[in-house]
């Protein structure tokens, strides 16, 4: 088997460039779905149910795309066909979803239509996102993988910042940020339009610039035996998983539940705390929605900065726990920052927690899995520790919201408590590398 050749910076860049567009779409969804459904008339008590679909589609679509693309060989490549189809579907849905309230449908029908569009958007984004990770695995040698994933991480965060800022910027340049009751404002609608255009252009660029290896070339550079690794039942793999798999999964459960409640309630929480309203028909609420996008962008930038500091901690465990504590404090501070600029502080702290959540779990788990085999299968199963907590939190969200008096800002304190519990659970982790030293 030959060693994979070194790739130039620009070839590594081209492999992941489409991820910039995909992440813009994902950021628009994360920051605006609750705002859109509240504008369409969704009851805050039921709002968390709308957030069941994103993790549900993630846990279903990503393993399917991975399995099917492993077996796909055609003139257009192995992974790229799924990337292109997913992106094309996402573009269509991004043009339809924000217009759900402009089709003259009854409120109940609008909600059903919006839910179907959200389901298709989640499906298509996951379908477009997964191939980028696999392209790096297929075509980049071990020496350059860290560099390739760092480029992907940069493009991911850059796309997030752009997507989060779109509604604010479009309002600033003159697009209306208000609309008749039940209709999504033009600033949000055009954010989705422009995001869709950038997405398809970025994916077309990657499609034209990246030439995947044919089956013969692939076998020259990749150990085919890995693909034919003895099949194991998923339940058997879970039964034999190292204890670290489950311990990190417990940390993940509380952290991703906290994130789910932020995505669900933070627009209303910021509007309630700073502008004194949760009435989605008011101009103040839509202004709050734009500012929440700015705060998300600040969170993403803070995450990038904190991620550069994490490797400097001597203890990975300490870095993980401290980051989650800071994130938890950030969540809990949101209801106590009545000035919109003061809200920057909690979101910077949340960015610290977010940076650790993206990196630390895989550090612990991959170290623990050395020698177990079935690394790909295990990491696919580990994705469930991201999706399942969100589904559980979404199902319980309405009950918790009602029990705590129906205040969206209170749900941010719930997120803070959950993140704090996650930090406490880090105490049960032992880094395999640290032990061996």
């Amino acid at each position: 088997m030959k060693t994979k050749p070194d790739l130039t910076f620009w070839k590594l860049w081209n492999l992941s460039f489409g991820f910039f567009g995909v992440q813009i779409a994902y950021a628009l969804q994360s920051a605006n779905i609750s705002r859109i459904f509240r504008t369409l008339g969704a009851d805050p008590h039921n709002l968390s149910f709308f957030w069941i679909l994103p993790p549900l589609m993630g846990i279903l679509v990503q393993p399917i795309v991975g399995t099917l693309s492993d077996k796909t060989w055609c003139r257009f490549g192995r992974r790229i066909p799924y990337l292109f189809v997913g992106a094309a579907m996402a573009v269509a849905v991004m043009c339809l979803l924000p217009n759900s309230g402009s089709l003259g449908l009854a409120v109940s029908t609008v909600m059903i239509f919006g839910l179907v569009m959200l389901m298709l958007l989640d499906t298509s984004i996951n379908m477009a996102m997964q191939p980028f990770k696999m392209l790096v695995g297929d075509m980049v040698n071990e020496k350059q993988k860290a560099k390739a994933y760092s480029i992907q991480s940069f493009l991911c965060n850059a796309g997030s910042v752009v997507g989060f800022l779109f509604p604010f910027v479009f309002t600033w340049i003159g697009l209306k940020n208000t609309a008749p009751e039940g209709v999504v404002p033009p600033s949000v609608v055009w954010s989705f339009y422009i995001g869709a255009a950038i997405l398809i252009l970025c994916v077309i660029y990657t499609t034209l610039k990246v030439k995947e290896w044919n089956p013969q070339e692939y076998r020259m550079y990749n150990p085919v035996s890995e693909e034919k690794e003895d099949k194991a039942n998923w339940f058997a793999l879970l039964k034999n998983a190292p204890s670290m798999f489950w311990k990190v999964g417990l940390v993940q459960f509380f952290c991703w539940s906290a994130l789910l409640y932020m995505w669900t309630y933070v627009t209303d929480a910021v509007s309630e705390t700073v502008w004194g309203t949760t009435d989605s028909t008011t101009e103040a609420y839509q202004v709050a929605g734009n500012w929440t996008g700015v705060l998300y962008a600040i969170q993403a930038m803070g995450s990038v900065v904190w991620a550069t500091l994490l490797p400097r901690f001597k203890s990975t465990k300490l870095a993980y726990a401290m980051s989650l504590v800071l994130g938890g404090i950030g969540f809990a501070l949101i209801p106590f920052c009545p000035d919109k600029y003061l809200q920057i502080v909690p979101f910077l702290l949340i960015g610290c927690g977010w940076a650790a959540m993206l990196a630390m779990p895989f550090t612990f788990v991959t170290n623990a899995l050395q020698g177990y085999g079935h690394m790909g299968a295990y990491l696919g199963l580990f994705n469930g520790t991201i999706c399942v907590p969100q589904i559980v939190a979404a199902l319980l969200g309405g009950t918790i919201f009602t029990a705590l008096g129906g205040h969206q800002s209170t749900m941010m304190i719930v997120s803070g408590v959950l993140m704090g519990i996650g930090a406490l659970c880090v105490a049960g982790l032992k880094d395999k590398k640290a032990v061996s030293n």
Side-chain angles (χ1 to χ4, degrees):
M1 186 184 72
K2 292 185 178 181
T3 301
K4 296 175 186 177
D6 286 346
L7 301 180
T8 65
F9 171 84
W10 290 111
K11 286 186 176 180
L12 294 173
W13 176 273
N14 293 340
L15 278 177
S16 294
F17 183 71
F19 207 89
F20 175 79
V22 174
Q23 198 61 31
I24 288 177
Y26 189 73
L28 284 168
Q29 173 190 285
S30 299
N32 293 285
I33 287 303
S34 286
R35 178 183 181 182
I36 288 173
F37 280 102
R38 287 282 284 118
T39 302
L40 295 177
D43 186 336
H45 294 79
N46 299 324
L47 196 59
S48 67
F49 293 130
F50 294 98
W51 283 94
I52 294 174
L53 289 175
L56 182 61
M57 300 316 299
I59 204 170
L60 292 175
V61 173
Q62 291 196 26
I64 292 173
V65 170
T67 301
L68 291 178
S69 64
D70 280 343
K71 303 174 182 178
T72 297
W73 297 99
C74 67
R75 56 177 293 194
F76 301 107
R78 190 186 190 197
R79 316 294 188 184
I80 285 177
Y82 295 90
L83 162 62
F84 195 84
V85 171
M89 187 188 306
V91 166
V93 177
M94 289 174 73
C95 293
L96 289 171
L97 175 59
N99 288 300
S100 299
S102 306
L103 303 176
L105 304 174
V107 174
S108 58
T109 308
V110 167
M111 289 298 168
I112 294 172
F113 180 81
L115 279 171
V116 171
M117 291 298 102
L118 177 58
M119 181 183 70
L120 292 175
L121 181 59
D122 291 322
T123 301
S124 57
I125 288 177
N126 276 288
M127 190 173 180
M129 189 181 295
Q130 191 71 356
F132 287 107
K133 301 173 185 177
M134 294 183 285
L135 280 171
V136 172
D138 287 348
M139 302 182 69
V140 179
N141 61 39
E142 293 300 319
K143 182 176 68 176
Q144 289 190 303
K145 273 187 180 176
K147 185 176 182 180
Y149 281 121
S150 68
I151 291 171
Q152 197 168 98
S153 177
F154 169 79
L155 291 168
C156 171
N157 283 294
S160 294
V161 171
V162 171
F164 289 143
L165 288 177
F166 265 169
F168 178 84
V169 171
F170 287 140
T171 301
W172 180 70
I173 65 175
L175 285 180
K176 290 185 65 176
N177 196 42
T178 58
E181 185 175 352
V183 176
V184 177
S187 59
V188 177
V189 174
W190 277 95
S191 295
F192 275 78
Y193 288 167
I194 302 301
I198 295 174
L199 167 59
I200 198 64
L201 288 174
C202 290
V203 169
I204 288 174
Y205 177 89
T206 293
T207 302
L208 294 176
K209 290 290 185 178
V210 175
K211 184 180 184 300
E212 292 189 77
W213 291 324
N214 60 39
Q216 293 74 29
E217 291 171 322
Y218 181 84
R219 292 190 186 96
M220 286 170 56
Y221 296 112
N222 291 276
V224 179
S225 59
E226 287 185 7
E227 291 190 19
K228 296 181 178 179
E229 193 177 60
D230 292 339
K231 293 183 178 179
N233 182 283
W234 283 2
F235 292 104
L237 290 177
L238 289 173
K239 180 180 178 181
N240 296 316
S243 61
M244 182 64 74
F245 183 98
W246 299 107
K247 290 177 179 178
V248 176
L250 182 62
V251 179
Q252 293 272 83
F253 179 85
F254 292 106
C255 293
W256 284 98
S257 295
L259 262 293
L260 187 282
Y261 289 143
M262 181 185 78
W263 293 331
T264 305
Y265 298 106
V266 74
T267 299
D268 281 37
V270 170
S271 183
E272 183 178 45
T273 303
V274 179
W275 280 270
T277 182
T278 56
D279 184 351
S280 61
T281 65
T282 62
E283 182 178 359
Y285 182 87
Q286 300 302 334
V287 170
N290 285 356
W291 187 249
T292 301
V294 174
L295 295 173
Y296 271 124
I298 290 168
Q299 174 199 318
M301 290 185 281
S303 177
V304 172
V305 174
W306 186 252
T308 64
L309 299 177
L310 287 175
R312 301 188 181 188
F313 282 83
K314 291 184 178 180
S315 167
T316 305
K317 181 176 170 179
L318 175 62
Y320 194 6
M322 182 181 293
S323 300
L324 297 183
V325 168
L326 291 174
I329 292 171
F331 283 125
L333 282 177
I334 289 175
F336 302 102
C337 295
D339 180 82
K340 69 176 186 178
Y341 295 107
L342 197 56
Q343 287 282 341
I344 291 173
V345 175
F347 275 81
L348 284 173
L349 293 175
I350 293 169
C352 297
W354 177 242
M357 287 173 62
L358 291 179
M360 296 299 184
F362 289 96
T363 299
F364 282 99
V365 170
T366 53
N367 286 344
L369 285 172
Q370 296 300 322
Y372 271 73
H374 302 285
M375 180 69 79
Y378 269 118
L379 292 182
L381 291 170
F382 189 68
N383 187 58
T385 68
I386 296 174
C387 299
V388 172
Q390 294 180 63
I391 295 170
V392 173
L395 290 171
L396 296 176
T399 302
I400 296 172
F401 178 75
T402 302
L404 295 178
H407 293 286
Q408 287 87 338
S409 56
T410 306
M411 295 301 291
M412 297 301 95
I413 297 176
V414 172
S415 288
V417 171
L418 288 168
M419 192 73 93
I421 295 173
L424 290 175
C425 292
V426 173
L429 306 184
K430 289 184 180 180
D431 189 9
K432 187 175 181 180
K433 284 187 176 180
V435 172
S436 63
N437 292 336

